[in-house]
Amino acid sequence: QVQLVESGGGAVQAGGSLRLSCAASGYDTGPYCMAWFRQAPGKEREGVVTIDTDGSTSYADSVKGRFTISQDKAKNSLYLEMDRLQPEDTGMYYCAADSQIRWPLPSYKFWGQGTQVTVSS
């Protein structure tokens, strides 16, 4: 089965940047639609951005112009470049994959364990 492992999270000051990575393995079918979700304490999980198999993307309004998703298919990796981070961006960030797009609902079949992003003011 598909396994996803996120990395790159950390604590940064407001206005700073982070680049999250998602390493995928165990694909038995594909290609997969990929997405990044996040969840703040006490809140529901929300979609950040998705990328379809043709490279098309959909961003949450709250991150447009600040976050950028990209893929390196040769390395089976997904990335999320986050710029001009704000305290409201704080949360656990999850990589997700499925055989078809599920955006924006958190109903993807495969999930990583998440990587924590903390933004201080």
Side-chain angles (χ1 to χ4, degrees):
Q1 62 179 18
V2 175
Q3 292 182 312
L4 306 172
V5 180
E6 303 95 335
S7 62
V12 298
Q13 186 179 359
S17 300
L18 283 174
R19 191 189 193 198
L20 306 184
S21 298
C22 173
S25 62
Y27 282 84
D28 53 1
T29 59
Y32 284 88
C33 300
M34 308 292 293
W36 286 98
F37 285 76
R38 67 186 181 187
Q39 187 168 23
K43 299 179 66 177
E44 67 276 8
R45 191 169 298 185
E46 64 176 348
V48 177
V49 60
T50 187
I51 184 167
D52 205 346
T53 55
D54 63 358
S56 61
T57 58
S58 294
Y59 291 86
D61 289 341
S62 59
V63 305
K64 285 182 178 178
R66 299 190 298 119
F67 291 11
T68 304
I69 192 172
S70 62
Q71 287 182 311
D72 186 336
K73 294 184 178 180
K75 297 181 179 179
N76 293 321
S77 297
L78 181 74
Y79 306 100
L80 182 65
E81 177 68 33
M82 305 185 295
D83 298 319
R84 303 192 304 280
L85 284 161
Q86 299 298 315
E88 293 75 24
D89 297 316
T90 293
M92 186 72 74
Y93 282 69
Y94 299 91
C95 178
D98 210 326
S99 58
Q100 60 182 302
I101 191 167
R102 307 293 184 184
W103 185 264
L105 300 176
S107 57
Y108 284 73
K109 185 175 182 179
F110 302 104
W111 295 86
Q113 293 300 305
T115 184
Q116 179 68 36
V117 172
T118 303
V119 185
S120 60
S121 60

